[in-house]
Amino acid sequence: MKIGYFQYNPFYHDVLQNREYLGSRLANHSADLLVLPELALSGYLFRTNEEVFSCAETIPGPSSDFFHSLAKKNNTSYVYGCIEKAEPKASAADDLNYNFSSFYNSSVYINPSGDMKIYRKAHLFNREKNHFLPGNAPFFVFDVQGVTVGMLICFDHMFPEAARTLTLMGAQIICHPSNLVLQGYAQATTRSRSIENHIFWILANRIGTEQSGAVSCTYTGGSQITSPDGSILVSSASDEEDLTVIDIDPSLALDKNITQGNNLLTDRRTDLYQV
Amino acid sequence: MKIGYFQYNPFYHDVLQNREYLGSRLANHSADLLVLPELALSGYLFRTNEEVFSCAETIPGPSSDFFHSLAKKNNTSYVYGCIEKAEPKASAADDLNYNFSSFYNSSVYINPSGDMKIYRKAHLFNREKNHFLPGNAPFFVFDVQGVTVGMLICFDHMFPEAARTLTLMGAQIICHPSNLVLQGYAQATTRSRSIENHIFWILANRIGTEQSGAVSCTYTGGSQITSPDGSILVSSASDEEDLTVIDIDPSLALDKNITQGNNLLTDRRTDLYQV
């Protein structure tokens, strides 16, 4: 199975230009599963809800249509981060009162057939709490060509319970769109997640610096893919665009017997955990 | 607070000689908390229950008496691994039928006043299951000079739920006596445990090779102490004896607010975890 990531520097608050860039940059590159960063179409730094609103889309919407088209063209399934404008739930009257707080920091999976999955980030990082609602649905896994895949976003890496939940649901690969500003933390924790869950992990981070008024964020790249035995199969520099696809055997993640006497899942002492 | 570890090569199946060696080697070295490896008095490789029996002791027993005496002499609290011979529960008649399966791979904390805590390894590694019973008591923490401390043993590192449970109980430092035979895994996971729980972690591994018949084990050293921010404060070589004590501020582990908007414990989405 060919899996990979695209580490790049999105155009700031310019969804159209990002779609255009991705369309040309990813042309003629195919993979079974290619992961893009968190908020891949908008950039990350928002100071007002109006800014968030200007980059948000419903799903389905123009950006998921774009990725569906790209998926067909390149025969590739994508995972990308975006701002999800949640549909108003009730009447048309409510629609008029559409609320700026109804946005999620989401990750979308879409394949050439147009099958789609949406994951809403459960653990929001710092100022994201000003703009996004936390994910409100259970973690889930889905099938990609017979392989069980899950999604987490950026700061979710810090909570081992999230990856453990996906593993217990059968995840062999976790796709992890990120906008990391710290260096080395997620690379360490996600390698540990691979080891402790015996799974593959695709950490797709971004690069570049965003500035808005007095606030700036520099993103630290270092995207990497780790394997069930904890090997770092590939990793990127902190400041360079990188489109990387590698070949893996996802069945390695099915076998949780790490010694003749140990199974990583059945050895768990759920009778003793208080988590 | 002065914390540290002693990485060494125990004499094989010779409890008396190990006590003698530790008595001389640790003389005049003081710390607030010094961690020794797993099975520090016996070595690790056992092929028969008779071998296990020959190295096992009750707690309290001669070895805990020895460590209490050493603790007073050096004004140091110790954590060390040993084979615990569990007291027969019932009558003297049962005593005669004393059962070889009643052994635990345990970690003992003892301080200069003789206060003692015993942790029985919850997650047994591979052939240990032939000789030891798995820990049968809840995880727990205890007070060391006003600092909350927990114990885990070797393979327990692989299960993030164990360290998380201790963290939720208030652990600022986890003592981790180990006999690691693989290279790099526990160093990676325990650094991640420090990061995800914002705690100190003392990984005390051993060195040397043991051979019994056709079976041999080489222990990989690499003891290390990590801090709540994931820094590796000190680490040892894979094959050298090393007695290391460093000064830390354990109060750093009390603050779980890792950004202005994030608390590592209250941000947990227990409503979504299925662990």
Side-chain angles (χ1 to χ4, degrees):
Chain A
M1 183 183 204
K2 286 186 195 306
I3 65 172
Y5 56 77
F6 180 39
Q7 167 175 301
Y8 67 109
N9 182 6
F11 294 92
Y12 188 55
H13 291 189
D14 195 334
V15 174
L16 286 176
Q17 197 169 359
N18 280 309
R19 289 208 293 256
E20 193 177 324
Y21 182 64
L22 292 171
S24 68
R25 184 65 178 82
L26 300 180
N28 305 314
H29 289 277
S30 79
D32 297 302
L33 185 60
L34 190 77
V35 184
L36 273 57
E38 180 182 15
L39 300 185
L41 294 161
S42 61
Y44 178 83
L45 183 55
F46 293 98
R47 302 185 71 202
T48 67
N49 286 329
E50 287 73 12
E51 287 178 342
V52 173
F53 185 71
S54 76
C55 294
E57 287 182 41
T58 56
I59 308 172
S63 288
S64 67
D65 289 348
F66 160 79
F67 274 105
H68 180 205
S69 157
L70 200 64
K72 281 190 290 190
K73 248 187 253 172
N74 295 333
N75 194 28
T76 294
S77 295
Y78 294 100
V79 168
Y80 66 95
C82 66
I83 305 174
E84 179 189 0
K85 192 195 302 186
E87 294 290 2
K89 293 268 193 280
S91 67
D94 283 343
D95 209 355
L96 298 175
N97 296 316
Y98 196 89
N99 185 326
F100 280 162
S101 71
S102 300
F103 300 105
Y104 294 93
N105 181 340
S106 293
S107 175
V108 179
Y109 163 81
I110 192 156
N111 73 7
S113 309
D115 300 328
M116 206 160 59
K117 302 286 174 185
I118 305 169
Y119 164 68
R120 295 170 168 173
K121 188 175 186 176
H123 305 91
L124 295 175
F125 185 69
N126 213 356
R127 285 188 294 262
E128 293 171 29
K129 293 181 180 184
N130 300 338
H131 304 300
F132 301 116
L133 289 174
N136 53 0
F139 293 108
F140 63 92
V141 295
F142 50 98
D143 180 276
V144 179
Q145 299 173 29
V147 176
T148 306
V149 175
M151 295 188 280
L152 294 174
I153 301 175
C154 205
F155 190 52
D156 289 329
H157 77 85
M158 194 62 104
F159 301 84
E161 297 91 340
R164 185 65 113 193
T165 297
L166 292 177
T167 300
L168 290 168
M169 291 173 168
Q172 296 163 260
I173 303 173
I174 289 181
C175 302
H176 184 217
S178 296
N179 277 189
L180 299 160
V181 292
L182 300 173
Q183 200 122 33
Y185 283 94
Q187 286 78 6
T189 56
T190 63
R191 183 172 170 238
S192 184
R193 305 286 169 259
S194 270
I195 294 170
E196 70 214 26
N197 293 301
H198 220 244
I199 55 171
F200 291 91
W201 192 289
I202 308 170
L203 162 55
N205 195 22
R206 60 163 288 181
I207 54 171
T209 294
E210 291 175 338
Q211 175 98 33
S212 174
V215 182
S216 84
C217 283
T218 295
Y219 307 94
T220 53
S223 299
Q224 70 180 21
I225 301 177
T226 46
S227 70
D229 70 359
S231 304
I232 299 171
L233 299 177
V234 62
S235 69
S236 297
S238 62
D239 55 359
E240 283 171 26
E241 183 173 296
D242 194 1
L243 174 56
T244 288
V245 175
I246 60 170
D247 206 15
I248 63 155
D249 175 3
S251 73
L252 294 174
L254 292 174
D255 181 7
K256 306 299 183 188
N257 297 306
I258 59 161
T259 72
Q260 282 194 322
N262 292 106
N263 180 290
L264 276 182
L265 298 189
T266 58
D267 276 359
R268 296 170 70 233
R269 295 297 306 275
T270 51
D271 56 324
L272 299 181
Y273 303 151
Q274 294 179 39
V275 292
Chain B
M1 183 182 204
K2 286 185 195 305
I3 66 172
Y5 56 76
F6 180 39
Q7 167 175 301
Y8 68 109
N9 182 5
F11 295 92
Y12 188 54
H13 291 189
D14 194 334
V15 174
L16 286 176
Q17 198 170 357
N18 280 310
R19 288 208 295 256
E20 192 178 323
Y21 181 65
L22 291 170
S24 69
R25 184 64 180 82
L26 300 180
N28 306 312
H29 289 278
S30 80
D32 297 301
L33 184 59
L34 191 77
V35 184
L36 274 58
E38 180 182 15
L39 301 185
L41 294 160
S42 60
Y44 178 83
L45 182 55
F46 293 98
R47 302 185 70 204
T48 67
N49 286 329
E50 286 72 13
E51 288 178 343
V52 172
F53 185 71
S54 75
C55 293
E57 287 183 39
T58 57
I59 308 171
S63 289
S64 69
D65 290 348
F66 161 78
F67 273 105
H68 180 206
S69 157
L70 200 65
K72 282 192 290 192
K73 249 188 252 171
N74 295 334
N75 193 29
T76 294
S77 295
Y78 294 101
V79 168
Y80 66 96
C82 66
I83 304 174
E84 179 189 1
K85 193 195 305 187
E87 294 288 4
K89 293 269 190 283
S91 67
D94 284 344
D95 210 353
L96 298 175
N97 297 316
Y98 196 89
N99 185 326
F100 282 162
S101 71
S102 301
F103 300 105
Y104 294 94
N105 181 340
S106 292
S107 175
V108 180
Y109 163 82
I110 193 156
N111 73 6
S113 309
D115 300 328
M116 205 159 62
K117 303 285 174 188
I118 305 169
Y119 164 68
R120 295 169 169 174
K121 187 176 186 175
H123 305 90
L124 296 175
F125 185 70
N126 214 355
R127 285 187 295 260
E128 293 172 30
K129 293 181 180 182
N130 300 337
H131 303 299
F132 301 116
L133 289 175
N136 53 0
F139 293 109
F140 63 92
V141 295
F142 51 97
D143 180 278
V144 179
Q145 300 173 28
V147 176
T148 306
V149 175
M151 295 188 281
L152 294 174
I153 301 176
C154 205
F155 190 52
D156 288 330
H157 76 85
M158 194 62 103
F159 301 84
E161 297 91 340
R164 185 65 112 193
T165 297
L166 293 177
T167 300
L168 290 167
M169 291 173 167
Q172 297 163 260
I173 303 172
I174 290 181
C175 302
H176 184 217
S178 296
N179 277 189
L180 298 160
V181 292
L182 300 173
Q183 198 122 34
Y185 284 95
Q187 287 78 7
T189 57
T190 64
R191 181 170 172 239
S192 185
R193 305 288 168 258
S194 270
I195 293 170
E196 69 212 27
N197 294 300
H198 220 243
I199 55 171
F200 291 91
W201 192 290
I202 309 170
L203 162 56
N205 195 21
R206 60 161 290 183
I207 55 171
T209 295
E210 291 175 338
Q211 175 99 31
S212 175
V215 182
S216 84
C217 283
T218 295
Y219 307 95
T220 52
S223 299
Q224 70 180 22
I225 301 178
T226 45
S227 71
D229 70 359
S231 303
I232 298 170
L233 299 176
V234 62
S235 68
S236 297
S238 62
D239 55 0
E240 284 171 25
E241 183 173 296
D242 193 1
L243 174 57
T244 287
V245 175
I246 61 170
D247 207 15
I248 62 154
D249 175 2
S251 74
L252 294 175
L254 292 174
D255 182 7
K256 306 299 184 188
N257 297 307
I258 59 161
T259 72
Q260 283 194 322
N262 292 106
N263 181 291
L264 276 182
L265 298 189
T266 58
D267 276 357
R268 294 170 71 232
R269 294 297 306 275
T270 51
D271 56 325
L272 298 182
Y273 303 151
Q274 294 179 39
V275 293

PDB file of all heavy atoms in Angstrom, chain A residues 30-52:
ATOM      1  N   SER A  30       0.385   9.838  -7.504  1.00  0.00           N
ATOM      2  CA  SER A  30      -0.669   8.980  -6.970  1.00  0.00           C
ATOM      3  C   SER A  30      -0.174   8.197  -5.763  1.00  0.00           C
ATOM      4  O   SER A  30       1.029   7.970  -5.581  1.00  0.00           O
ATOM      5  CB  SER A  30      -1.178   8.029  -8.050  1.00  0.00           C
ATOM      6  OG  SER A  30      -0.281   6.962  -8.189  1.00  0.00           O
ATOM      7  N   ALA A  31      -1.131   7.850  -4.920  1.00  0.00           N
ATOM      8  CA  ALA A  31      -0.861   7.047  -3.732  1.00  0.00           C
ATOM      9  C   ALA A  31      -2.179   6.398  -3.354  1.00  0.00           C
ATOM     10  O   ALA A  31      -3.241   6.786  -3.868  1.00  0.00           O
ATOM     11  CB  ALA A  31      -0.356   7.920  -2.594  1.00  0.00           C
ATOM     12  N   ASP A  32      -2.117   5.418  -2.486  1.00  0.00           N
ATOM     13  CA  ASP A  32      -3.380   4.879  -1.986  1.00  0.00           C
ATOM     14  C   ASP A  32      -3.970   5.805  -0.931  1.00  0.00           C
ATOM     15  O   ASP A  32      -5.184   5.885  -0.781  1.00  0.00           O
ATOM     16  CB  ASP A  32      -3.141   3.480  -1.417  1.00  0.00           C
ATOM     17  CG  ASP A  32      -2.676   2.514  -2.494  1.00  0.00           C
ATOM     18  OD1 ASP A  32      -3.417   2.356  -3.485  1.00  0.00           O
ATOM     19  OD2 ASP A  32      -1.568   1.964  -2.376  1.00  0.00           O
ATOM     20  N   LEU A  33      -3.103   6.495  -0.208  1.00  0.00           N
ATOM     21  CA  LEU A  33      -3.561   7.348   0.888  1.00  0.00           C
ATOM     22  C   LEU A  33      -2.534   8.464   1.082  1.00  0.00           C
ATOM     23  O   LEU A  33      -1.391   8.197   1.439  1.00  0.00           O
ATOM     24  CB  LEU A  33      -3.679   6.503   2.171  1.00  0.00           C
ATOM     25  CG  LEU A  33      -4.237   7.154   3.419  1.00  0.00           C
ATOM     26  CD1 LEU A  33      -5.663   7.661   3.188  1.00  0.00           C
ATOM     27  CD2 LEU A  33      -4.229   6.159   4.583  1.00  0.00           C
ATOM     28  N   LEU A  34      -2.950   9.694   0.809  1.00  0.00           N
ATOM     29  CA  LEU A  34      -2.038  10.834   0.940  1.00  0.00           C
ATOM     30  C   LEU A  34      -2.632  11.828   1.939  1.00  0.00           C
ATOM     31  O   LEU A  34      -3.780  12.252   1.794  1.00  0.00           O
ATOM     32  CB  LEU A  34      -1.832  11.513  -0.414  1.00  0.00           C
ATOM     33  CG  LEU A  34      -0.710  12.551  -0.425  1.00  0.00           C
ATOM     34  CD1 LEU A  34       0.661  11.867  -0.484  1.00  0.00           C
ATOM     35  CD2 LEU A  34      -0.847  13.532  -1.584  1.00  0.00           C
ATOM     36  N   VAL A  35      -1.840  12.172   2.950  1.00  0.00           N
ATOM     37  CA  VAL A  35      -2.335  13.010   4.044  1.00  0.00           C
ATOM     38  C   VAL A  35      -1.759  14.416   3.924  1.00  0.00           C
ATOM     39  O   VAL A  35      -0.552  14.596   3.736  1.00  0.00           O
ATOM     40  CB  VAL A  35      -1.970  12.395   5.417  1.00  0.00           C
ATOM     41  CG1 VAL A  35      -2.582  13.213   6.542  1.00  0.00           C
ATOM     42  CG2 VAL A  35      -2.448  10.944   5.495  1.00  0.00           C
ATOM     43  N   LEU A  36      -2.633  15.409   4.029  1.00  0.00           N
ATOM     44  CA  LEU A  36      -2.221  16.815   4.010  1.00  0.00           C
ATOM     45  C   LEU A  36      -2.309  17.378   5.433  1.00  0.00           C
ATOM     46  O   LEU A  36      -2.890  16.754   6.325  1.00  0.00           O
ATOM     47  CB  LEU A  36      -3.136  17.608   3.069  1.00  0.00           C
ATOM     48  CG  LEU A  36      -2.733  17.627   1.590  1.00  0.00           C
ATOM     49  CD1 LEU A  36      -2.615  16.235   1.002  1.00  0.00           C
ATOM     50  CD2 LEU A  36      -3.737  18.461   0.781  1.00  0.00           C
ATOM     51  N   PRO A  37      -1.775  18.555   5.649  1.00  0.00           N
ATOM     52  CA  PRO A  37      -1.800  19.112   7.012  1.00  0.00           C
ATOM     53  C   PRO A  37      -3.210  19.489   7.485  1.00  0.00           C
ATOM     54  O   PRO A  37      -4.176  19.492   6.715  1.00  0.00           O
ATOM     55  CB  PRO A  37      -0.927  20.369   6.885  1.00  0.00           C
ATOM     56  CG  PRO A  37      -0.066  20.136   5.705  1.00  0.00           C
ATOM     57  CD  PRO A  37      -0.918  19.340   4.752  1.00  0.00           C
ATOM     58  N   GLU A  38      -3.280  19.802   8.753  1.00  0.00           N
ATOM     59  CA  GLU A  38      -4.458  20.430   9.365  1.00  0.00           C
ATOM     60  C   GLU A  38      -4.714  21.767   8.661  1.00  0.00           C
ATOM     61  O   GLU A  38      -3.775  22.448   8.234  1.00  0.00           O
ATOM     62  CB  GLU A  38      -4.107  20.668  10.847  1.00  0.00           C
ATOM     63  CG  GLU A  38      -5.165  21.315  11.699  1.00  0.00           C
ATOM     64  CD  GLU A  38      -4.660  21.548  13.136  1.00  0.00           C
ATOM     65  OE1 GLU A  38      -3.419  21.467  13.368  1.00  0.00           O
ATOM     66  OE2 GLU A  38      -5.499  21.787  14.028  1.00  0.00           O
ATOM     67  N   LEU A  39      -5.972  22.136   8.547  1.00  0.00           N
ATOM     68  CA  LEU A  39      -6.365  23.429   7.969  1.00  0.00           C
ATOM     69  C   LEU A  39      -5.562  23.716   6.688  1.00  0.00           C
ATOM     70  O   LEU A  39      -5.010  24.806   6.506  1.00  0.00           O
ATOM     71  CB  LEU A  39      -6.182  24.554   8.984  1.00  0.00           C
ATOM     72  CG  LEU A  39      -6.993  24.418  10.289  1.00  0.00           C
ATOM     73  CD1 LEU A  39      -6.833  25.651  11.162  1.00  0.00           C
ATOM     74  CD2 LEU A  39      -8.462  24.155  10.027  1.00  0.00           C
ATOM     75  N   ALA A  40      -5.545  22.714   5.826  1.00  0.00           N
ATOM     76  CA  ALA A  40      -4.669  22.745   4.652  1.00  0.00           C
ATOM     77  C   ALA A  40      -5.092  23.776   3.616  1.00  0.00           C
ATOM     78  O   ALA A  40      -4.318  24.131   2.737  1.00  0.00           O
ATOM     79  CB  ALA A  40      -4.640  21.355   4.002  1.00  0.00           C
ATOM     80  N   LEU A  41      -6.328  24.258   3.712  1.00  0.00           N
ATOM     81  CA  LEU A  41      -6.839  25.172   2.685  1.00  0.00           C
ATOM     82  C   LEU A  41      -6.863  26.624   3.134  1.00  0.00           C
ATOM     83  O   LEU A  41      -7.152  27.519   2.338  1.00  0.00           O
ATOM     84  CB  LEU A  41      -8.254  24.748   2.288  1.00  0.00           C
ATOM     85  CG  LEU A  41      -8.328  23.388   1.592  1.00  0.00           C
ATOM     86  CD1 LEU A  41      -9.731  22.832   1.656  1.00  0.00           C
ATOM     87  CD2 LEU A  41      -7.831  23.512   0.156  1.00  0.00           C
ATOM     88  N   SER A  42      -6.578  26.856   4.396  1.00  0.00           N
ATOM     89  CA  SER A  42      -6.805  28.202   4.951  1.00  0.00           C
ATOM     90  C   SER A  42      -5.618  28.766   5.708  1.00  0.00           C
ATOM     91  O   SER A  42      -5.551  29.963   5.961  1.00  0.00           O
ATOM     92  CB  SER A  42      -7.984  28.147   5.926  1.00  0.00           C
ATOM     93  OG  SER A  42      -7.673  27.258   6.991  1.00  0.00           O
ATOM     94  N   GLY A  43      -4.670  27.909   6.082  1.00  0.00           N
ATOM     95  CA  GLY A  43      -3.725  28.336   7.098  1.00  0.00           C
ATOM     96  C   GLY A  43      -4.382  28.249   8.464  1.00  0.00           C
ATOM     97  O   GLY A  43      -5.581  27.950   8.588  1.00  0.00           O
ATOM     98  N   TYR A  44      -3.565  28.547   9.487  1.00  0.00           N
ATOM     99  CA  TYR A  44      -3.977  28.215  10.861  1.00  0.00           C
ATOM    100  C   TYR A  44      -4.304  29.420  11.728  1.00  0.00           C
ATOM    101  O   TYR A  44      -5.145  29.352  12.619  1.00  0.00           O
ATOM    102  CB  TYR A  44      -2.833  27.452  11.526  1.00  0.00           C
ATOM    103  CG  TYR A  44      -3.075  27.074  12.959  1.00  0.00           C
ATOM    104  CD1 TYR A  44      -3.799  25.923  13.256  1.00  0.00           C
ATOM    105  CD2 TYR A  44      -2.570  27.846  14.009  1.00  0.00           C
ATOM    106  CE1 TYR A  44      -4.016  25.551  14.575  1.00  0.00           C
ATOM    107  CE2 TYR A  44      -2.797  27.473  15.327  1.00  0.00           C
ATOM    108  CZ  TYR A  44      -3.517  26.330  15.605  1.00  0.00           C
ATOM    109  OH  TYR A  44      -3.737  25.970  16.908  1.00  0.00           O
ATOM    110  N   LEU A  45      -3.642  30.535  11.493  1.00  0.00           N
ATOM    111  CA  LEU A  45      -3.705  31.652  12.445  1.00  0.00           C
ATOM    112  C   LEU A  45      -4.956  32.494  12.200  1.00  0.00           C
ATOM    113  O   LEU A  45      -5.076  33.152  11.161  1.00  0.00           O
ATOM    114  CB  LEU A  45      -2.435  32.502  12.304  1.00  0.00           C
ATOM    115  CG  LEU A  45      -2.275  33.682  13.253  1.00  0.00           C
ATOM    116  CD1 LEU A  45      -2.391  33.252  14.704  1.00  0.00           C
ATOM    117  CD2 LEU A  45      -0.933  34.363  13.021  1.00  0.00           C
ATOM    118  N   PHE A  46      -5.868  32.470  13.155  1.00  0.00           N
ATOM    119  CA  PHE A  46      -7.092  33.259  13.067  1.00  0.00           C
ATOM    120  C   PHE A  46      -7.202  34.137  14.302  1.00  0.00           C
ATOM    121  O   PHE A  46      -6.951  33.682  15.413  1.00  0.00           O
ATOM    122  CB  PHE A  46      -8.324  32.342  12.964  1.00  0.00           C
ATOM    123  CG  PHE A  46      -8.373  31.584  11.684  1.00  0.00           C
ATOM    124  CD1 PHE A  46      -7.932  30.268  11.621  1.00  0.00           C
ATOM    125  CD2 PHE A  46      -8.839  32.185  10.527  1.00  0.00           C
ATOM    126  CE1 PHE A  46      -7.947  29.569  10.430  1.00  0.00           C
ATOM    127  CE2 PHE A  46      -8.864  31.497   9.328  1.00  0.00           C
ATOM    128  CZ  PHE A  46      -8.415  30.182   9.278  1.00  0.00           C
ATOM    129  N   ARG A  47      -7.583  35.369  14.090  1.00  0.00           N
ATOM    130  CA  ARG A  47      -7.729  36.268  15.230  1.00  0.00           C
ATOM    131  C   ARG A  47      -9.186  36.658  15.468  1.00  0.00           C
ATOM    132  O   ARG A  47      -9.540  37.096  16.539  1.00  0.00           O
ATOM    133  CB  ARG A  47      -6.847  37.496  15.028  1.00  0.00           C
ATOM    134  CG  ARG A  47      -5.373  37.057  14.856  1.00  0.00           C
ATOM    135  CD  ARG A  47      -4.449  38.230  14.770  1.00  0.00           C
ATOM    136  NE  ARG A  47      -4.331  38.895  16.055  1.00  0.00           N
ATOM    137  CZ  ARG A  47      -3.938  40.156  16.203  1.00  0.00           C
ATOM    138  NH1 ARG A  47      -3.675  40.894  15.145  1.00  0.00           N
ATOM    139  NH2 ARG A  47      -3.839  40.692  17.396  1.00  0.00           N
ATOM    140  N   THR A  48     -10.012  36.520  14.438  1.00  0.00           N
ATOM    141  CA  THR A  48     -11.435  36.845  14.609  1.00  0.00           C
ATOM    142  C   THR A  48     -12.288  35.729  14.022  1.00  0.00           C
ATOM    143  O   THR A  48     -11.839  34.978  13.140  1.00  0.00           O
ATOM    144  CB  THR A  48     -11.804  38.150  13.880  1.00  0.00           C
ATOM    145  OG1 THR A  48     -11.687  37.917  12.459  1.00  0.00           O
ATOM    146  CG2 THR A  48     -10.892  39.299  14.290  1.00  0.00           C
ATOM    147  N   ASN A  49     -13.525  35.654  14.512  1.00  0.00           N
ATOM    148  CA  ASN A  49     -14.457  34.672  13.960  1.00  0.00           C
ATOM    149  C   ASN A  49     -14.812  35.002  12.514  1.00  0.00           C
ATOM    150  O   ASN A  49     -15.129  34.109  11.727  1.00  0.00           O
ATOM    151  CB  ASN A  49     -15.714  34.605  14.821  1.00  0.00           C
ATOM    152  CG  ASN A  49     -15.439  33.879  16.134  1.00  0.00           C
ATOM    153  OD1 ASN A  49     -14.591  32.986  16.196  1.00  0.00           O
ATOM    154  ND2 ASN A  49     -16.146  34.265  17.184  1.00  0.00           N
ATOM    155  N   GLU A  50     -14.743  36.292  12.161  1.00  0.00           N
ATOM    156  CA  GLU A  50     -15.019  36.678  10.769  1.00  0.00           C
ATOM    157  C   GLU A  50     -13.972  36.057   9.837  1.00  0.00           C
ATOM    158  O   GLU A  50     -14.300  35.594   8.741  1.00  0.00           O
ATOM    159  CB  GLU A  50     -15.022  38.212  10.624  1.00  0.00           C
ATOM    160  CG  GLU A  50     -16.248  38.907  11.220  1.00  0.00           C
ATOM    161  CD  GLU A  50     -16.263  38.949  12.742  1.00  0.00           C
ATOM    162  OE1 GLU A  50     -15.214  38.639  13.369  1.00  0.00           O
ATOM    163  OE2 GLU A  50     -17.314  39.262  13.321  1.00  0.00           O
ATOM    164  N   GLU A  51     -12.714  36.063  10.285  1.00  0.00           N
ATOM    165  CA  GLU A  51     -11.674  35.432   9.478  1.00  0.00           C
ATOM    166  C   GLU A  51     -11.950  33.937   9.303  1.00  0.00           C
ATOM    167  O   GLU A  51     -11.783  33.386   8.211  1.00  0.00           O
ATOM    168  CB  GLU A  51     -10.294  35.613  10.135  1.00  0.00           C
ATOM    169  CG  GLU A  51      -9.729  37.018  10.051  1.00  0.00           C
ATOM    170  CD  GLU A  51      -8.381  37.131  10.774  1.00  0.00           C
ATOM    171  OE1 GLU A  51      -8.056  36.249  11.613  1.00  0.00           O
ATOM    172  OE2 GLU A  51      -7.657  38.099  10.521  1.00  0.00           O
ATOM    173  N   VAL A  52     -12.347  33.296  10.396  1.00  0.00           N
ATOM    174  CA  VAL A  52     -12.669  31.873  10.324  1.00  0.00           C
ATOM    175  C   VAL A  52     -13.801  31.657   9.332  1.00  0.00           C
ATOM    176  O   VAL A  52     -13.735  30.783   8.444  1.00  0.00           O
ATOM    177  CB  VAL A  52     -13.065  31.346  11.722  1.00  0.00           C
ATOM    178  CG1 VAL A  52     -13.572  29.906  11.634  1.00  0.00           C
ATOM    179  CG2 VAL A  52     -11.876  31.430  12.684  1.00  0.00           C
TER     180      VAL A  52
END
